[in-house]
Amino acid sequence: MDGSQVEIIWGGDVNLGRRQHFRAVELGFENVIRIPRLREADLRIFNLECVVALAGEQGSPKGEGGPFYFRARPDMLRLLELAECNIVTTANNHSGDYGPDAIAEQKMWLDSVGIGSVGSGETQEEAFRPIVRRVGNSRIAVFSVDATQPLFAASATRPGNAFLPLKDPDAWTKVFVPRIASVRSVADHVLVAVHWGANGEEVPGAAEVKVGHRLIDAGADAVLGTSAHKLQGIEVYRGRPIIHDAGDLLFDRVSQSLEPSGIFALRLGAGGVNSVEFVPVGAGYGFCKQLEGAEATAATRAYAEKCAKFGTTLAVTPEGHGLVEVRPDARTAIKPSALPVGCTTDRVPPDAEIEPLRLGPLRLLGIRLNPRRMTERQMLWVESFWDAAERPDADYRIGFLAEPVIKGAMPAWGRSMDHDPCDWRVPTSGWSPGTIYRDFYGLRPPPISQLKNVELQLSVMLLGPEGKVARHRLPHFTLLILQSKSAAAFSSEAPHGT
């Protein structure tokens, strides 16, 4: 392999919990993952199908009649260290088994041993954030997303996993087109790991195939699948590999025989993935081993039949491995245009709609102000929705102030906080009429010594290269009631915030 290429290995499901605790002791930790080929790669990625944490207890709702709960003690990470694992994907139907606190704790333990993780987070945005690693002269970005357990999905306020439903392929396009385009600014290659499909499936369903295609169309160089606990074939779509399922790599299933498994070595060059090598592995009771000789050849020939169902030729090498050569097609322009996530929307939320207000070349279409009542010094959050009445000829800044309804009662919230829209990410010179743009920005309060119990009214400003273009008061109010302060000025009418 020349210096311009790197090799990434994808392994399947790894469960460090349950019986694996004592099996690792019985076998010896160094005898659990017996795959010499792992050490030849530049980067190794596994799907961690358990939660490594001491927090929480069984009983997290899973919507299943007899759910499984997989927990591993932190010392079990020694198995991943011995396998030289670099990254684990965590968006799956077991990382949330012991609740949100355990998800957060797991990341702490992984960080402590230098293993990167992706697919879970304190918020939905964090869960969908890729991990980027430099390998030689290349930078590799990895996403992880689950399609099997919606109850573990992260939200704006709840920790959890990156989750998207298989039944909505358009959602995958909408989520991944901008994210992949954005990470391309810092990464040479983009891989998307997906936990999808039903247990025991020998071949992927139509929905999985369709979503796999959408991910390649969105800009992924390869799709790395798990979930079925069964090896599924490699599909080549637009010259890019979709490994539908890598099967179980390490599981504590009690069995006297070896379950067919494997690892997948992806060789990446300037154009993307150039080849995929299948290395046959046998997954036993709490251990796995690389197959050799006639046993390897037989296993690879069986796997070649699974690949053939997708029209993919897997050549058997002299050492009994499989090889798929691929030629990625040229990327075409990706549409829709890759604006940062959260900066545009299809419509203004009904509770934010206002009569459109023209400010220079822009129109303010909607406002949300939170909170509407404050009992302590805190930020005021303004979510606003805009479009361009005409194509802007310059970069305009927007600004909001929350001012006392009685002039001079105290300074305003949000002074000197005008900004390019979308929190500095989308200057108006790049706006197009017909697109709705969203801005979310906090207004900083005055010093606590200057605060008074008073009603505040929101106003909006537009500033251009020559200064202020327009300013309007808005019918949006908030009420400040500090228990340590005496009542100050309210408007002559009842406060709007009550």
Side-chain angles (χ1 to χ4, degrees):
M1 182 163 54
D2 63 49
S4 64
Q5 292 189 324
V6 297
E7 187 175 78
I8 311 301
I9 281 185
W10 171 239
D13 294 329
V14 171
N15 178 11
L16 303 177
R18 294 194 310 182
R19 292 177 286 263
Q20 192 65 58
H21 289 96
F22 65 80
R23 283 297 282 164
V25 174
E26 290 175 348
L27 298 168
F29 274 66
E30 67 282 359
N31 295 318
V32 171
I33 300 177
R34 313 175 210 165
I35 307 176
R37 181 68 175 81
L38 287 171
R39 289 156 181 79
E40 300 176 27
D42 298 299
L43 192 75
R44 290 150 288 270
I45 309 169
F46 302 152
N47 178 58
L48 183 57
E49 189 144 19
C50 64
V51 62
V52 179
L54 302 176
E57 62 183 12
Q58 293 191 13
S60 292
K62 300 187 73 171
E64 302 167 4
F68 291 95
Y69 293 92
F70 297 158
R71 179 217 294 278
R73 293 191 301 268
D75 60 286
M76 296 301 289
L77 290 176
R78 179 65 179 151
L79 293 174
L80 298 185
E81 292 182 278
L82 288 167
E84 300 184 22
C85 176
N86 306 103
I87 295 172
V88 292
T89 57
T90 61
N92 56 60
N93 60 316
H94 287 289
S95 57
D97 281 354
Y98 288 81
D101 289 345
I103 292 175
E105 183 189 338
Q106 173 173 260
K107 186 176 189 311
M108 181 269 290
W109 291 118
L110 289 166
D111 288 346
S112 73
V113 296
I115 296 175
S117 60
V118 60
S120 305
E122 289 294 314
T123 63
Q124 184 183 63
E125 188 60 36
E126 183 180 332
F128 274 101
R129 189 175 301 150
I131 187 171
V132 180
R133 287 289 184 266
R134 178 174 287 278
V135 181
N137 294 324
S138 298
R139 293 161 299 179
I140 313 297
V142 182
F143 290 90
S144 171
V145 60
D146 177 49
T148 63
Q149 183 46 274
L151 295 178
F152 292 168
S155 70
T157 57
R158 173 188 160 87
N161 294 331
F163 174 85
L164 289 170
L166 281 178
K167 65 182 180 182
D168 187 2
D170 290 341
W172 294 71
T173 297
K174 185 175 181 179
V175 166
F176 277 100
V177 164
R179 282 176 166 80
I180 291 175
S182 178
V183 80
R184 283 282 182 192
S185 65
V186 296
D188 303 292
H189 306 291
V190 179
L191 311 177
V192 181
V194 189
H195 202 72
W196 54 6
N199 288 350
E201 278 187 339
E202 296 283 354
V203 294
E208 292 142 72
V209 172
K210 188 169 187 176
V211 164
H213 292 182
R214 289 295 186 95
L215 289 170
I216 297 295
D217 290 338
D221 290 304
V223 176
L224 314 174
T226 54
S227 177
H229 304 288
K230 295 286 185 180
L231 276 177
Q232 295 177 356
I234 300 171
E235 179 184 6
V236 178
Y237 173 71
R238 294 183 58 190
R240 293 170 173 83
I242 301 172
I243 301 169
H244 277 284
D245 205 296
D248 287 338
L249 186 62
L250 180 64
F251 232 85
D252 67 335
R253 185 181 295 105
V254 179
S255 175
Q256 299 301 314
S257 60
L258 296 178
E259 183 74 13
S261 182
I263 59 172
F264 299 80
L266 289 77
R267 187 169 295 181
L268 296 96
V273 179
N274 297 322
S275 66
V276 180
E277 178 186 355
F278 170 72
V279 181
V281 170
Y285 173 28
F287 73 93
C288 55
K289 69 172 187 176
Q290 183 173 326
L291 302 182
E292 305 289 347
E295 196 175 22
T297 299
T300 298
R301 284 176 176 163
Y303 185 63
E305 294 178 6
K306 292 178 177 287
C307 297
K309 293 177 181 178
F310 294 101
T312 302
T313 299
L314 183 91
V316 181
T317 67
E319 65 266 44
H321 297 182
L323 188 64
V324 176
E325 302 280 358
V326 294
R327 294 185 178 181
D329 68 0
R331 287 286 187 197
T332 55
I334 298 174
K335 294 183 179 181
S337 61
L339 288 169
V341 174
C343 287
T344 61
T345 183
D346 295 331
R347 65 186 184 90
V348 179
D351 65 330
E353 289 180 346
I354 63 171
E355 187 70 26
L357 176 63
R358 180 75 179 256
L359 293 94
L362 310 185
R363 292 194 311 165
L364 178 61
L365 305 177
I367 285 283
R368 282 173 171 158
L369 176 65
N370 283 297
R372 291 301 184 99
R373 187 183 185 94
M374 297 182 289
T375 58
E376 61 183 358
R377 182 177 184 266
Q378 66 180 88
M379 296 287 282
L380 262 177
W381 301 102
V382 180
E383 185 180 17
S384 57
F385 300 86
W386 304 76
D387 70 0
E390 58 192 65
R391 188 175 294 277
D393 57 356
D395 287 332
Y396 293 86
R397 302 190 309 280
I398 59 177
F400 291 95
L401 290 173
E403 302 172 291
V405 293
I406 295 184
K407 189 174 182 180
M410 70 174 181
W413 257 251
R415 289 182 300 172
S416 302
M417 297 185 71
D418 49 275
H419 55 280
D420 287 348
C422 306
D423 195 356
W424 298 101
R425 291 178 290 176
V426 186
T428 59
S429 58
W431 282 25
S432 299
T435 298
I436 299 174
Y437 298 87
R438 172 184 174 270
D439 181 72
F440 183 79
Y441 212 78
L443 306 186
R444 190 177 302 108
I448 194 166
S449 61
Q450 298 179 337
L451 297 185
K452 304 287 186 182
N453 285 346
V454 69
E455 188 177 30
L456 305 172
Q457 183 174 7
L458 193 66
S459 62
V460 60
M461 297 177 294
L462 187 72
L463 297 93
E466 306 301 323
K468 189 183 299 181
V469 175
R471 176 173 175 171
H472 290 272
R473 285 187 176 271
L474 300 170
H476 292 73
F477 299 84
T478 188
L479 187 61
L480 178 63
I481 303 178
L482 302 177
Q483 295 197 2
S484 61
K485 300 283 183 177
S486 60
F490 293 107
S491 62
S492 58
E493 301 177 3
H496 295 81
T498 58

